[in-house]
Amino acid sequence: MSKPQPHIIQEGSKQYSLGELKGSELIYDFDKMLVYLNAKGKLLFGETFKTFEEDRDILFKLCNYFIGDEANCKKFGIDVKKGILLSGPVGCGKTSLMKLLRHIVPHQKPYKIIPARNIVFGFNHVGYKTLEDYGNGHYFCFDDLGVEPIGRHYGKDCNVMGEIILSRHDLFLEYHIKTHATTNLNAQELEKRYGNRVRSRMRELFNLIAFDKGSGDKRK
């Protein structure tokens, strides 16, 4: 039985190589990864999808994080043990990249991408069980963190995502379970939204990778 080759990805009848094996070491090739990401992006999001040259640095950081290249990540101040908090203006492509990048590491446990507002709507409907559902051992990426409404169940208000982040922080410390998120907010806005205690936990939970403030809306 042949060994699995994590750098060879089959999409339909086409095969993509993301690098090459040199002895027992896998050497990834960033340009080959971009070729695959563009092809996979078209399959996921339609023929108009493309990666942008202006996002090359962000993509390079994210690719190195996902493949676990500790040497390159160290240069960028990225801790491969933590999750990713991908921030940037509305429409810059945060959600699409988080949906896309998990496909370059098919051998790793995938994470589910859940809009934060949907979690709050779930809390409003079923209550505190929602906090348990997302404070467990599954892998999640919380999308659009910080713009969700305050939760309310039977007249009681709850900062739902703040509570979930505290639970995810405990999971990270005890079981090394990662959490990812995307946000349009900056550090000060996140602290205002969730408070200093949650913001402090977020620093331990996430690597912050940020798009340039001037990144345009790619959905236009």
Side-chain angles (χ1 to χ4, degrees):
M1 188 174 176
S2 61
K3 286 184 179 179
Q5 300 189 77
H7 64 300
I8 305 291
I9 299 181
Q10 191 81 28
E11 293 289 350
S13 60
K14 194 157 185 184
Q15 198 174 74
Y16 295 89
S17 170
L18 307 186
E20 60 180 307
L21 278 170
K22 290 187 176 177
S24 60
E25 189 178 8
L26 175 50
I27 310 294
Y28 281 92
D29 182 316
F30 180 56
D31 287 319
K32 288 181 177 178
M33 293 168 84
L34 284 182
V35 169
Y36 171 69
L37 288 172
N38 275 291
K40 185 65 175 178
K42 284 177 167 53
L43 291 172
L44 290 175
F45 310 119
E47 281 299 315
T48 58
F49 177 85
K50 64 176 180 177
T51 57
F52 290 80
E53 183 61 30
E54 69 201 59
D55 298 337
R56 189 179 174 91
D57 289 349
I58 286 259
L59 275 165
F60 187 67
K61 289 177 185 177
L62 288 169
C63 283
N64 277 285
Y65 169 81
F66 277 99
I67 64 175
D69 187 322
E70 294 197 28
N72 270 331
C73 283
K74 195 172 181 182
K75 290 178 194 172
F76 300 121
I78 295 170
D79 183 342
V80 295
K81 296 183 182 71
K82 295 183 182 182
I84 291 290
L85 176 61
L86 188 58
S87 76
V90 171
C92 68
K94 303 181 295 295
T95 304
S96 296
L97 287 186
M98 292 306 286
K99 285 179 177 177
L100 182 57
L101 281 156
R102 56 188 171 178
H103 293 283
I104 65 172
V105 282
H107 54 292
Q108 293 183 13
K109 187 175 179 179
Y111 50 84
K112 290 182 180 177
I113 298 180
I114 314 284
R117 70 175 185 279
N118 289 10
I119 297 172
V120 174
F121 295 154
F123 173 86
N124 293 347
H125 183 60
V126 301
Y128 287 85
K129 181 182 180 300
T130 302
L131 303 186
E132 295 170 22
D133 290 344
Y134 293 98
N136 60 25
H138 292 295
Y139 285 62
F140 293 109
C141 174
F142 300 126
D143 194 31
D144 269 346
L145 187 67
V147 294
E148 75 281 353
I150 286 287
R152 174 167 280 204
H153 186 67
Y154 284 111
K156 284 191 174 181
D157 286 353
C158 177
N159 193 330
V160 175
M161 292 310 302
E163 292 298 324
I164 288 172
I165 287 166
L166 293 175
S167 296
R168 301 298 301 181
H169 178 261
D170 291 342
L171 283 171
F172 172 67
L173 291 183
E174 194 163 349
Y175 302 108
H176 312 295
I177 292 171
K178 292 179 184 177
T179 303
H180 304 303
T182 72
T183 186
N184 302 332
L185 305 186
N186 62 32
Q188 292 75 26
E189 290 166 330
L190 285 168
E191 185 161 330
K192 187 176 179 184
R193 179 72 177 78
Y194 296 113
N196 184 53
R197 180 170 170 240
V198 173
R199 177 68 187 125
S200 172
R201 302 297 190 278
M202 289 174 78
R203 289 190 192 96
E204 295 180 23
L205 192 57
F206 298 121
N207 295 286
L208 176 61
I209 296 182
F211 279 85
D212 190 277
K213 288 178 185 174
S215 292
D217 189 339
K218 298 180 176 75
R219 295 180 291 203
K220 289 182 179 177

